[in-house]
Each structure stands twice: as structure tokens, then as C-alpha cells.
Amino acid sequence: MGAAGSSALARLGLPAPPAPRWLGVAALGLAAVALGAVAWRRARPGRRRRLQQVGTVSELWIYPVKSCKGVSVDAAECTALGLRSGHLRDRFWLVIKEDGHMVTGRQEPRLVLVSITYEDDCLILRAPGMDQLVLPTKLHSSNKLHDCRVFGLDIQGRDCGDEAAQWFTSFLKTDAFRLVQFEKSMKARTSHEIFPSLDKKYQVAYPDCSPVMILSEASLADLNTRMEKKVKIDNFRPNIVVTGCSAFEEDTWDELLIGNVEMKKILACPRCIMTTVDPDTGVIDRKEPLETLKSYRLCDPSEKSIYKSSPLFGIYYSVEKIGSLKVGDPVYQMVA
């Protein structure tokens, strides 16, 4: 998918899963069902929903710097702008060119080799052949504000300083780059700007399209049965990975309750060449797994005006009620 227009229907993805840690906690989810968590009254007056468990959270991922490796967490707050763990926020940092245009793995695939850890209110960035970069999560208010462009839309970012700029410039070796950080006081990109034709109301900082993206383990396993070279969850960069459901069952989920967080489906995630960047080598293939996905995951013809020729893999959600969630939480669909 291309520039600003098709940007509306963007693309998304994500980094490497550790060994499943949900097994022990999953039993708690089953116990909750056994205790009869089948009916639940929402905060909105007069609305009653039945809870139907459709899976269990097996992984949670936060991608602090857009297109860089994700950080696996056991628990997270879910804010209106996406997942948070302390000062670690999902896609609150962005690499830009000096003219403010965003830079992602589509243009600079080696970004996926940058790993991130979080220590003492600092992000620690590491990359092959580079000394580590220590990045404070709280910037001085005197740092320059940049006017940035993300998929053709205007958004601001505060400059993270010359050391960070030189670090990314030295690592990527193709241009001069800056790193910026989004702050909550800044104006976020709105759903109306991203998807003018959809009646949705939410905001995002630097993610492609939505605050949260969900993908199931079964969908990835199904794709890998069709692939000569297997792909990882890292190729697709979801925030929440779900186990215990069938392949592509997530296509059917509308309103979800996870922990005490309520989410509502926006639309399916249209995939682009970002999925063809090898998360281990930083080499872009431009073909797989995209071509295989196109062979069986194209949209219904009635939705072609939305998705064009992009294959669908994973689901975008907005956050209707903020709260917290953790690995092992049951995933409930709220049905009438």
C-alpha cells in the first residue's frame, strides 16, 4: 500500500516471542469461567452482555520505537493510546528525516535490528556494531519540537537530542536522522483523519492505524503450514497474542473484554511489505509472507474500497474502557 491516501488503510506488525508464559496463568482464566463469569453488566446503563471466552492472552508486546524490536511484558496498562508499562509506551518514539517525514522498516529495514530494554526510567537501545544508547524517557522542555508527517498526517514530536540522532544516522548509514518522542499534551492523530469513511472515534500517536492490534497463535500456525520458510510473530508486530482459539477466529470478534479493558473492533489489519522484513537479519524480501497471504487472505469484494489488494492478518482495536491486562487473562467476547 502506498502513501497518504492508502495510508489510511495502513499496515502493522511486531517482534520475537519468548517461550509461552501463559500456561500457568491460563488456569486462572478457566477458573473464572467455572465460577460463572457468564453474564456481566457494562458500565453503560441498560446494556447487558454475555461473556463468551474465546481465548487466553499468551503474549503482550510494546514497541516503544516505531519499527524497532518489541519489548515483551507480562502485564500492561491499556490506555486510550495503547499499551503502557511504566514510562514504556507503545510507538511513542519515531525516527524521522530532518524534514520531519517518518522513517520505518519499509524504507530502512535494519531498524528491526534495534533492540530495546527499559532500566531506571531510560530506554537502552542496542544494535549490531553500535555502542548502546541510553535514552531518558523524560525530555527537557527546551528540546526542539518537530512537525512530523506520519502517513501524510501532521503530528508533533520532541527531539531526543544530538546523541540519539547521531546514533541512528551512524547505524543506518543512508541519511541524516533524528529521533522524536510523542508527549501526551501533543495533538494525536485521529481516527477521522486515518479512516475518514469509518464511523470510529479514537486517537493514536505513531502507530499505523490503531491503539491495539490482536493476532492469534493459530492464525500464524495456519500461515506457516503454507510457507516454505516459516515466519515469526515478529513479522507482524501485534500487541496482544491470543492462544486457545482456531485460526482466524479473531476475524469474528467485535467487542472484547480482557482483564478490565474493553475493546472494540475497528477493522482487519491490511498487510504490506513491512511483513517481508526478516526480523533476524533486517533484510527486506518484498515477497514473503505477503504473496502467500494474498493467495488466501484477501478481503470480500464488497470491502475492496477499504482494503484494496492488501491481505488481512490480525485485527485493529480501539480502547473503549481503559484498564490493565496481563499474560494469562481470559479473552472474552461480549455478545448480546
Side-chain angles (χ1 to χ4, degrees):
M1 266 171 116
S6 355
S7 73
L9 319 162
R11 333 100 201 197
L12 205 134
L14 148 107
R21 300 156 307 190
W22 54 270
L23 289 169
V25 200
L28 297 176
L30 295 174
V33 176
L35 287 171
V38 288
W40 173 76
R41 182 173 292 282
R42 302 187 57 181
R44 294 177 224 170
R47 293 196 66 183
R48 193 173 185 83
R49 290 289 183 269
R50 182 169 56 86
L51 295 186
Q52 174 188 348
Q53 186 173 358
V54 290
T56 301
V57 176
S58 59
E59 299 170 34
L60 293 173
W61 289 93
I62 295 175
Y63 304 88
V65 183
K66 190 171 179 68
S67 284
C68 295
K69 288 188 185 296
V71 178
S72 174
V73 296
D74 292 319
E77 292 176 68
C78 192
T79 75
L81 292 174
L83 298 190
R84 175 176 71 189
S85 177
H87 291 297
L88 205 60
R89 302 291 301 255
D90 190 63
R91 296 171 175 96
F92 260 46
W93 286 264
L94 175 73
V95 178
I96 59 170
K97 292 187 176 182
E98 291 196 324
D99 64 4
H101 280 84
M102 74 169 185
V103 177
T104 73
R106 302 165 184 87
Q107 301 86 33
E108 297 290 342
R110 292 178 74 244
L111 278 173
V112 304
L113 301 179
V114 177
S115 64
I116 298 164
T117 53
Y118 177 57
E119 303 167 24
D120 300 324
D121 286 343
C122 291
L123 300 186
I124 314 294
L125 277 62
R126 296 178 176 88
M130 299 291 293
D131 291 335
Q132 70 179 28
L133 172 68
V134 179
L135 197 65
T137 54
K138 291 185 178 178
L139 298 176
H140 200 281
S141 59
S142 63
N143 285 29
K144 179 181 175 180
L145 280 181
H146 289 272
D147 293 320
C148 308
R149 297 282 284 176
V150 174
F151 295 118
L153 298 177
D154 295 326
I155 188 168
Q156 288 188 310
R158 191 172 297 281
D159 194 278
C160 292
D162 291 340
E163 186 185 356
Q166 186 56 51
W167 195 88
F168 276 99
T169 299
S170 299
F171 175 60
L172 296 174
K173 296 182 174 67
T174 56
D175 207 336
F177 300 103
R178 308 294 301 183
L179 182 69
V180 298
Q181 180 181 351
F182 183 80
E183 296 172 347
K184 287 187 295 182
S185 59
M186 295 173 180
K187 182 181 180 296
R189 292 151 58 232
T190 68
S191 52
H192 177 69
E193 294 172 305
I194 299 168
F195 297 116
S197 62
L198 296 183
D199 184 23
K200 307 287 182 182
K201 289 189 75 172
Y202 64 88
Q203 297 183 333
V204 290
Y206 304 137
D208 281 13
C209 291
S210 76
V212 174
M213 203 269 283
I214 295 180
L215 183 64
S216 73
E217 290 181 354
S219 298
L220 178 65
D222 181 275
L223 170 62
N224 275 329
T225 64
R226 306 159 194 264
M227 297 286 299
E228 208 169 301
K229 182 186 176 186
K230 309 302 182 195
V231 289
K232 300 178 177 180
I233 210 82
D234 309 48
N235 290 75
F236 304 102
R237 306 173 70 83
N239 298 109
I240 301 173
V241 182
V242 177
T243 191
C245 62
S246 58
F248 306 111
E249 191 179 332
E250 62 267 36
D251 292 353
T252 67
W253 303 338
D254 184 23
E255 293 184 277
L256 295 180
L257 174 69
I258 308 176
N260 60 351
V261 179
E262 295 178 36
M263 302 179 195
K264 187 171 178 62
K265 178 179 176 179
I266 300 168
L267 77 177
C269 178
R271 293 302 183 166
C272 72
I273 58 167
M274 183 70 192
T275 61
T276 74
V277 178
D278 187 318
D280 296 324
T281 65
V283 174
I284 189 165
D285 173 79
R286 295 187 177 273
K287 291 184 178 178
E288 291 295 355
L290 204 54
E291 293 303 316
T292 298
L293 282 171
K294 284 181 177 178
S295 72
Y296 77 117
R297 287 293 298 169
L298 294 178
C299 69
D300 184 272
S302 65
E303 298 178 310
K304 202 151 189 182
S305 62
I306 299 175
Y307 298 114
K308 309 291 192 294
S309 59
S310 299
L312 310 179
F313 200 68
I315 305 293
Y316 285 133
Y317 282 86
S318 60
V319 180
E320 301 296 303
K321 179 174 175 287
I322 64 173
S324 58
L325 63 164
K326 63 185 184 298
V327 170
D329 275 346
V331 177
Y332 294 109
Q333 183 175 18
M334 300 187 289
V335 292

